[in-house]
Amino acid sequence: MSVRDAVTTLRRFGLGARPGEVKAISGDPRGHLRQSLRDARNALLEDPQLRPSHALIEELFVEQRQRRLAEQQKMKDGPAPQMPPPAMAAPGAPKQPAETVRDVFVEEASSRFQHALHTSDGFLERLVMFWSSHFCISADKGGPVRIAAGAYEREAIRPHVLGRFRDMLLAVEMHPVMITYLDNQQSMGPNSRGGKGKGLNENLAREILELHTLGADGGYTQEDVTNFARILTGWSFGGLDSQIAEPGKFFFIPARHEPGEWTVLGRRYKDEGQLTGQRVLEALARHPATAHHIARKLARHFVGDKVPASLVERLRKTFMETDGDLAMVAKALVESPEAWQAAPAKIVPPGDFLVSISRALSLEAKPQNLLRFGVQLGQPLWRPPSPKGWPDEDDAWTAPSAMRERLRIAELAARQVDKHLDPRDVAQDLFGEALSQDTRQAIARAEVREQGFALLLMSPEFQRR
């Protein structure tokens, strides 16, 4: 083993090295990765300050109702006398829904950032990030999706990141945040008791087939999408006025469910209500096209666009032979020679770039700053541009404006580094023999130490993995 393998371990498969970490794992870099896969509990965020999604959604619904009632009363009473606005809200005054959502979002982001900055299991956290993008939602949807975006990742992704794919799939598709994001609570069977004259919404069914399981080339048809959407009618969650469902929790509504037997991918499913949708998801989780789609995405995410077909095949075979055991698939990835032979090609995404800076330079960044920088770099937390998730091509983040913004942030970080640190020593600690001679000389020739640190952060070694 070598220092180069240790650098690959911490960058290609992790979130970048912390001081002394390259040297610490250089004796057995791959063993370090395998160790990360032995305890799924290390992927969890067990912050007692963070509340479950159903509690957050219920609180939002209550505040929205109170606001509507107050506005209705205001209209009934007529306009109030004009008063100068108060300088600040009175102590103890109830929050508006927007304030609650913002505060919860920052709390969730803070917990996530702190975990990423300090974890020794960077590979495990990278897997969480991969699956969170694969099964993405966007807080831009507002409402329950925004207030519970972090809770969704904590509840549907993290507990299953080393489990079975089918269990994660079920947890994701039955989560109120995903149901809301893809509008399935609005989907009603035209022939159901409660859906007369109303129609289907195919968003959830389509994205499950195209993005979450089979892939766009997975062999499904429009008829499969429509039939699956019929099967998923009734998949919703409780509201404040529900007599039998807890607010904010998954709930199957029989009155909205389209009756009948339907065929998906050549298999006929009898009508068993909620259970029918679960049976389709379980079949999709075991489908060969799903195995290939997941294998290809994992290989491209961790290695690069020009991933060898042999690596994809090894991951696909492992997925199929282990019934979608994600820990075994991840292990097959790190034990594949192809994953170590490729040169660093992928530009580090903005969110990972920010985390890696803080880890490398021992900076305690404020969550609000990381959130703002993420927006400025084009990757706002939990706000991907579409249900496809974040772009994952090798050069997806190399637009000139984005690189200028990276330089600005690198210069800002360089000014905050401990004054006793020398950029040449830090570069050697982080990269050792993997640091190119050109980068080494550029840092050594820097006119001031801050410039040396900025050059390190903008070097090819730091920007690609």
Side-chain angles (χ1 to χ4, degrees), residues 38-95:
R38 289 175 183 161
D39 193 347
R41 292 173 298 180
N42 292 335
L44 303 178
L45 292 185
E46 297 178 328
D47 186 337
Q49 301 297 318
L50 303 180
R51 289 171 288 166
S53 59
H54 66 88
L56 296 171
I57 293 171
E58 181 179 12
E59 179 181 355
L60 177 66
F61 285 169
V62 169
E63 291 185 354
Q64 288 175 337
R65 171 176 287 183
Q66 291 174 341
R67 184 177 180 86
R68 287 195 300 269
L69 291 174
E71 290 175 348
Q72 291 171 3
Q73 187 64 42
K74 183 178 179 180
M75 292 179 64
K76 181 179 178 181
D77 295 342
Q82 292 293 320
M83 300 289 290
M88 61 184 297
K95 292 182 179 181

Side-chain angles (χ1 to χ4, degrees), residues 116-431:
L117 292 177
H118 299 291
T119 184
S120 298
D121 296 309
F123 184 34
L124 200 54
E125 192 65 10
R126 281 284 305 283
L127 289 170
V128 169
M129 294 174 175
F130 169 82
W131 289 113
S132 188
S133 180
H134 179 79
F135 290 115
C136 77
I137 51 85
S138 175
D140 284 341
K141 185 82 172 184
V145 181
R146 184 167 180 81
I147 197 170
Y152 160 78
E153 185 180 270
R154 286 189 289 112
E155 296 166 353
I157 303 297
R158 290 184 180 276
H160 306 289
V161 74
L162 295 181
R164 303 280 179 183
F165 177 76
R166 69 170 181 271
D167 294 332
M168 186 187 291
L169 182 64
L170 286 165
V172 163
E173 312 307 351
M174 297 176 73
H175 200 285
V177 167
M178 182 62 76
I179 287 172
T180 304
Y181 176 54
L182 294 177
D183 304 310
N184 205 70
Q185 81 281 12
Q186 301 174 9
S187 185
M188 299 187 188
N191 299 302
S192 65
R193 297 196 309 274
K196 300 295 184 182
K198 299 179 180 178
L200 298 173
N201 187 302
E202 296 184 349
N203 289 353
L204 181 59
R206 185 180 306 280
E207 306 307 1
I208 290 174
L209 294 171
E210 178 180 343
L211 302 176
H212 299 172
T213 59
L214 306 177
D217 56 354
Y220 65 90
T221 66
Q222 176 57 41
E223 184 179 7
D224 291 321
V225 173
T226 302
N227 286 346
F228 192 19
R230 290 174 173 133
I231 290 171
L232 292 175
T233 50
W235 282 39
S236 189
F237 56 95
L240 292 181
D241 298 324
S242 175
Q243 300 298 312
I244 56 177
E246 189 172 347
K249 286 192 174 182
F250 175 85
F251 178 55
F252 178 71
I253 307 176
R256 297 183 181 179
H257 180 64
E258 179 72 358
E261 296 186 357
W262 307 103
T263 299
V264 179
L265 297 172
R267 177 178 171 182
R268 190 77 170 173
Y269 291 88
K270 64 179 181 179
D271 190 354
E272 299 179 88
Q274 173 188 328
L275 187 58
T276 312
Q278 293 177 224
R279 294 195 190 284
V280 176
L281 289 173
E282 289 171 356
L284 290 171
R286 293 186 170 97
H287 197 285
T290 297
H292 183 263
H293 180 54
I294 298 302
R296 182 172 53 190
K297 282 194 69 173
L298 270 169
R300 293 189 65 184
H301 177 78
F302 282 98
V303 180
D305 290 350
K306 299 178 180 179
V307 61
S310 57
L311 175 57
V312 176
E313 174 57 22
R314 185 177 295 109
L315 300 183
R316 184 205 66 79
K317 185 178 180 182
T318 302
F319 189 102
M320 291 297 295
E321 290 179 346
T322 64
D323 194 23
D325 186 327
L326 299 181
M328 295 302 295
V329 174
K331 184 180 179 182
L333 172 66
V334 301
E335 292 182 345
S336 299
E338 300 94 330
W340 298 83
Q341 294 166 355
K346 298 191 76 68
I347 285 286
V348 177
D352 296 21
F353 174 61
L354 296 172
V355 168
S356 63
I357 289 177
S358 297
R359 287 172 65 91
L361 304 181
S362 299
L363 301 178
E364 287 294 333
K366 295 181 179 180
Q368 293 89 338
N369 289 341
L370 291 177
L371 284 170
R372 186 176 74 254
F373 292 151
V375 172
Q376 293 168 353
L377 290 171
Q379 193 180 31
L381 182 62
W382 295 317
R383 291 166 57 193
S386 78
K388 293 181 180 180
W390 294 108
D392 206 22
E393 295 78 19
D394 288 355
D395 291 326
W397 304 101
T398 55
S401 59
M403 297 307 293
R404 285 196 300 271
E405 192 64 25
R406 287 194 186 215
L407 175 59
R408 187 187 70 81
I409 291 171
E411 292 172 339
L412 179 63
R415 293 194 292 270
Q416 299 176 12
V417 179
D418 187 319
K419 301 301 182 184
H420 297 93
L421 294 178
D422 188 305
R424 294 167 295 183
D425 296 337
V426 173
Q428 178 64 26
D429 179 54
L430 295 177
F431 293 99

